[in-house]
């Protein structure tokens, strides 16, 4: 884990020359990112620099980020080396290792790309203020989304603590044998705590990644829609030329958002699809440990979270594609007004039209797939197909 210390702010725990340019967090409160930055810092991932005049507060922030990262790293090694001993069946093991591995990689991706993420979000906020200062950048309900993340995390903690520390505690005490002289209860408690703690952190990190991606996609889609509305007001050559330069900045902003979040989107969808398959397999499992209300609640919550992730990201990414369609419609409406104007204005508008038609405004997952509503249908079709195949192979009817 690397952090970079700036004057009156932090990106990391490693110092760099103070002569470098100091990036300040956007002071515009008409966006959702300032609250997301605070939330990410609370989770040990400082995406935006923390402005503070107190060296003591800066030291505390650095220690907090380091401690969270070290805690996640230590618990991932402990949990990965012991989970196969206490989790029954192959489906549960696959879900645990797959989900926690991808979540840990997502955390590293957020840390490595924190500069790109902050720069892309700041560019979107600044550009939105130039195009239409009245629009809200991101989701207007970000407070409720963060509250939902807290409730979801507390629910996961309760379910996992009940499953391991109550339902499966005797089994854990029996199977986890301490390799060195230490009390069996203490050793089992440390291992189980590591498994529960890291899995909860994985859920929280994934939820934070979803919020960051979703709000960034909404910001990008809002920029494109606002620009589409501005096309109707371009009736002179000078305004069209300025609009052409603004459109190039808009394309650059979309590319920066995509470059900053495409890896996070890829890992999120990979995690969701893997958990879908594993959760459905657990539903058809005959293992006694998975026939309890606690296990069923966890599987149901996992499926609900996966469906919500696919739905939210698809809706957010689709706003960019819809914005491009609005641009094309705005061009058709604007061309009717331009026809009656001078040839210089018509030539400038034609240049703008060519740039818009040749551009491709979209957000992707590592440029392998486009995030839109069609992706949600594809994932849904895969899950339904797998469910029917597993149902036919099980040879059992559904019970109520």
């Amino acid at each position: 884990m690397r952090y970079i210390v700036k004057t009156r702010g932090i990106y990391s725990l490693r110092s760099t020359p103070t002569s470098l340019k100091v990036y300040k967090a956007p002071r515009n409160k008409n966006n959702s990112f300032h609250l997301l930055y605070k939330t990410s810092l609370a989770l040990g991932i400082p995406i935006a620099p923390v402005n503070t005049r107190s060296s003591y507060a800066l030291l505390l922030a650095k220690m907090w980020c380091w401690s969270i990262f070290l805690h996640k790293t230590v618990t991932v090694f402990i949990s990965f080396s012991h989970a196969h001993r206490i989790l029954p069946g192959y489906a549960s093991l696959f879900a645990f290792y797959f989900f926690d591995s991808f979540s840990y990689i997502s955390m590293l991706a957020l840390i490595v790309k924190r500069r790109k993420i902050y720069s892309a979000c700041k560019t979107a906020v600044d550009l939105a203020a130039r195009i239409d200062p009245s629009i809200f950048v991101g989701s207007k309900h970000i407070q409720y989304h963060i509250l939902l993340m807290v409730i979801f995390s507390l629910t996961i903690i309760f379910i996992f603590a009940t499953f391991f520390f109550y339902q499966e505690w005797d089994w854990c005490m029996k199977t986890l044998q301490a390799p060195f002289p230490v009390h069996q209860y203490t050793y089992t408690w440390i291992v189980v705590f590591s498994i529960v703690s890291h899995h909860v952190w994985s859920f929280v990190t994934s939820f934070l990644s979803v919020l960051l991606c979703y709000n960034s996609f909404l910001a990008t889609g809002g920029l494109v829609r606002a620009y589409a509305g501005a096309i109707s007001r371009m009736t002179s050559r000078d305004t069209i030329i300025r609009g052409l330069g603004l459109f190039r900045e808009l394309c650059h902003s979309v590319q920066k958002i995509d470059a900053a979040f495409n890896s996070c989107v890829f890992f999120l969808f990979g995690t969701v699809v893997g958990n879908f398959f594993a959760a459905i397999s657990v539903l058809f499992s005959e293992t006694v440990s998975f026939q309890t209300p606690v296990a069923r609640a966890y599987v149901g919550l996992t499926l609900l979270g996966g469906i919500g992730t696919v739905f939210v990201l698809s809706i957010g990414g689709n706003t960019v594609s819809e914005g491009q369609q609005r641009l094309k419609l705005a061009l058709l409406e604007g061309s009717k007004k331009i026809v009656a104007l001078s040839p210089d204005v018509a030539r400038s508008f034609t240049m703008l039209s060519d740039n818009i038609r040749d551009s491709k405004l979209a957000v992707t997952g590592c440029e392998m797939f486009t995030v839109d509503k069609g992706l949600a249908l594809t994932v849904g079709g895969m899950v339904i197909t797998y469910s029917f195949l597993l149902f036919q192979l099980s040879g059992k009817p559904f019970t109520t």
Side-chain angles (χ1 to χ4, degrees):
M1 180 184 182
R2 302 184 333 175
Y3 289 75
I4 296 178
V5 177
K6 297 286 185 179
T7 302
R8 293 190 180 182
I10 66 168
Y11 274 114
S12 74
L13 299 178
R14 191 181 68 178
S15 298
T16 55
T18 57
S19 60
L20 297 180
K21 183 178 180 181
V22 178
Y23 292 94
K24 296 182 179 180
R27 296 185 180 275
N28 182 15
K29 300 301 181 181
N30 200 28
N31 64 83
S32 61
F33 293 107
H34 69 281
L35 189 55
L36 280 173
Y37 294 153
K38 295 179 181 179
T39 304
S40 63
L41 179 62
L43 298 179
I45 307 175
I47 295 177
V50 179
N51 295 322
T52 177
R53 296 181 179 180
S54 173
S55 59
Y56 180 71
L58 180 61
L59 178 62
L60 287 179
K62 291 159 58 177
M63 293 177 60
W64 169 254
C65 295
W66 263 116
S67 61
I68 292 297
F69 178 79
L70 292 176
H71 172 75
K72 293 178 182 179
T73 304
V74 171
T75 54
V76 73
F77 281 109
I78 296 177
S79 58
F80 276 26
S81 59
H82 293 83
H84 64 279
R85 300 180 183 178
I86 58 179
L87 288 177
Y90 295 103
S92 60
L93 284 175
F94 172 79
F96 180 83
Y97 285 110
F98 194 87
F99 179 77
D100 284 27
S101 298
F102 270 52
S103 297
Y104 189 80
I105 295 173
S106 298
M107 179 196 68
L108 294 178
L110 290 176
I111 294 174
V112 171
K113 288 192 171 184
R114 64 193 179 278
R115 286 173 174 269
K116 289 185 177 181
I117 292 174
Y118 175 71
S119 177
C121 295
K122 185 177 184 301
T123 300
V125 171
D126 294 342
L127 189 58
R130 293 171 55 190
I131 296 177
D132 187 359
S134 64
I135 66 174
F136 188 90
V137 183
S139 174
K140 295 182 179 180
H141 307 290
I142 184 61
Q143 298 91 340
Y144 301 105
H145 297 162
I146 294 177
L147 178 62
L148 179 62
M149 181 178 71
V150 174
I151 296 174
F152 183 83
S153 303
L154 294 176
T155 305
I156 290 295
I157 292 175
F158 174 77
I159 291 176
F160 252 67
T162 304
F163 182 83
F164 284 102
F165 285 100
Y166 177 74
Q167 176 180 315
E168 300 295 318
W169 179 253
D170 293 337
W171 172 254
C172 294
M173 287 285 292
K174 179 181 178 181
T175 57
L176 294 176
Q177 299 298 325
F180 42 83
V182 67
H183 194 275
Q184 181 63 30
Y185 180 87
T186 303
Y187 180 79
T188 304
W189 192 93
I190 292 175
V191 173
V192 173
F193 173 79
S194 299
I195 293 175
V196 173
S197 175
H198 180 69
H199 204 62
V200 171
W201 274 115
S202 297
F203 271 98
V204 176
T205 303
S206 298
F207 210 123
L208 177 64
S209 299
V210 171
L211 291 182
L212 285 170
C213 294
Y214 175 64
N215 283 270
S216 300
F217 295 166
L218 287 184
T220 305
L223 284 176
V224 179
R225 290 195 302 268
Y227 184 81
I231 289 180
S232 60
R233 298 188 293 271
M234 299 179 186
T235 55
S236 66
R237 183 177 181 276
D238 292 338
T239 57
I240 294 175
I241 294 299
R242 287 195 297 268
L244 179 60
L246 199 62
F247 177 74
R248 290 171 179 170
E249 293 185 42
L250 176 62
C251 292
H252 180 63
S253 178
V254 175
Q255 293 171 0
K256 290 183 67 174
I257 291 288
D258 182 53
F261 291 100
N262 56 14
S263 59
C264 294
V265 172
F266 177 80
F267 290 125
L268 281 174
F269 272 96
T271 302
V272 167
V273 172
N275 274 352
F276 272 144
F277 293 159
I280 294 171
S281 300
V282 169
L283 285 177
F284 289 94
S285 175
E286 298 180 357
T287 305
V288 178
S289 299
F290 296 144
Q291 305 303 320
T292 61
V294 175
R296 295 298 185 182
Y298 172 75
V299 172
L301 193 63
T302 300
L303 291 174
L304 182 63
I307 293 173
T309 299
V310 174
F311 178 77
V312 166
L313 292 182
S314 300
I315 293 298
N318 196 69
T319 58
V320 183
S321 301
E322 288 181 351
Q324 189 173 26
Q325 296 299 323
R326 290 193 180 188
L327 276 178
K328 295 180 180 179
L329 293 177
L331 284 177
L332 292 177
E333 295 295 330
S335 60
K336 299 177 182 178
K337 302 178 181 179
I338 299 300
V339 171
L341 300 179
S342 64
D344 291 339
V345 176
R347 281 194 297 269
S348 301
F349 190 81
T350 301
M351 187 184 304
L352 176 63
S353 301
D354 292 339
N355 277 266
I356 293 178
R357 291 192 183 97
D358 295 339
S359 64
K360 184 179 180 181
L361 303 178
V363 287
T364 64
C366 288
E367 300 183 356
M368 296 183 181
F369 53 85
T370 302
V371 183
D372 53 16
K373 291 182 178 178
L375 182 61
L377 296 177
T378 302
V379 175
M382 291 171 55
V383 173
I384 292 174
T385 303
Y386 180 75
S387 301
F388 276 106
L389 289 175
L390 200 62
F391 168 67
Q392 292 177 353
L393 292 175
S394 66
K396 288 185 177 182
F398 286 113
T399 57
T400 58

